[in-house]
Amino acid sequence: MSDEVNRDRRHLVGTAAATVASAQLGVIAFANAQSAKATVASPPIKPGTRTSFGLLRQIDAGPLNVGYAEAGPGNGPAVVLLHGWPYDIHSFVDVAPLLASAGYRVVVPYLRGYGTTRFLSSVTLRNGQQSALAQETVDLLDALKIQKAILGGFDWGARTADIIAALWPERCKALVSVSGYLIGSQKAGKVPLPPQAEFQWWYQYYFATERGREGYDKYLREFSKLIWQLASPKWNFDEATFVRSAAALDNPDHVSIVIHNYRWRLGLAEGEAKYDELEARLAASPNITVPTITLEGDANGAPHPEAGAYAKKFSGKYEHRTLDDGVGHNLPQEAPQAFAQAILDVVAS
């Protein structure tokens, strides 16, 4: 997927489709989205243009009743976009209409412990381990009768998308992953890191204590805003933008899921036996074979690997893009046009 090839594709398709326009959103449509043969660049969009998805939907999927936003034609190629912590579906509030306008069926679910997603049983373990989040996403694909989807995500969402692409490649047509290959294991989580890297994970060690759990619960909004500021130091989000997403953290299971996630990574909390086989496969760091574009912002203040460290984990068609201009950790919300373009381009590859 060289830049030269992509430029040629964009030029040829742009010439043929010059009269096609998406009046409401100002997006040049994907040329024949059903066949996904080529893409054209979308015109500039200002982040924060959209503030709402409108009416949300709910569906039972595995152990959950999942809340999700949906946009675009129901018979379009499916794109599932997965958010991270401590963010929510609004990370894709500008991305979704861009892709919907291009003919895609866009599904943006709340992960377990966020927004309107709820457990169907009060006795289900509030499990935050990586394989549980991946399995719930596959369950959602089944519930929505989506056989194969393009997956995109960042943070927890990128890890979840990576896992599905690695373990269920038949369900993943292509992948866009912010910060690349994020699949881990409890064994890897026990390996000491250099001091500067350990310092970046300060909240993980805070959450390992009961004081950390109580502090996160008590100061949930303040804590989350601090993470936003540290992870995206050049993103000047306003209070309204933060409040919209922070409302999703009021989910009754949120604190339990987050604490379990980070304790499980360090081997301080048990997972569920039903996920043992999946975790054993993930501990082997499986390669990802589906077409992939990885993205990174030049101002990502959150812990993340260097692109060169994971490039060989993508054994199919692969490209890495670094975004300039102070783009931080919440890349889809900070640079929605670039994220949407990556989705379009990875399918065309």
Side-chain angles (χ1 to χ4, degrees), residues 259-275:
I259 297 301
H260 185 270
N261 176 284
Y262 287 104
R263 290 183 181 181
W264 179 86
R265 295 192 200 189
L266 295 175
L268 301 177
E270 295 294 326
E272 291 182 82
K274 65 180 180 179
Y275 298 116

Side-chain angles (χ1 to χ4, degrees), residues 77-95:
V79 178
V80 177
L81 303 176
L82 302 168
H83 68 81
W85 170 84
Y87 306 93
D88 83 325
I89 63 174
H90 287 88
S91 291
F92 301 102
V93 73
D94 287 321
V95 172

Side-chain angles (χ1 to χ4, degrees), residues 108-129:
V108 191
Y110 282 115
L111 300 182
R112 58 174 57 193
Y114 294 82
T116 60
T117 292
R118 297 289 187 275
F119 284 87
L120 296 173
S121 171
S122 62
V123 300
T124 302
L125 176 67
R126 273 38 180 176
N127 182 352
Q129 73 184 104

Side-chain angles (χ1 to χ4, degrees), residues 181-198:
Y181 190 91
L182 298 178
I183 297 172
S185 68
Q186 286 186 317
K187 181 179 180 180
K190 294 178 180 179
V191 176
L193 301 173
Q196 184 62 33
E198 296 282 23

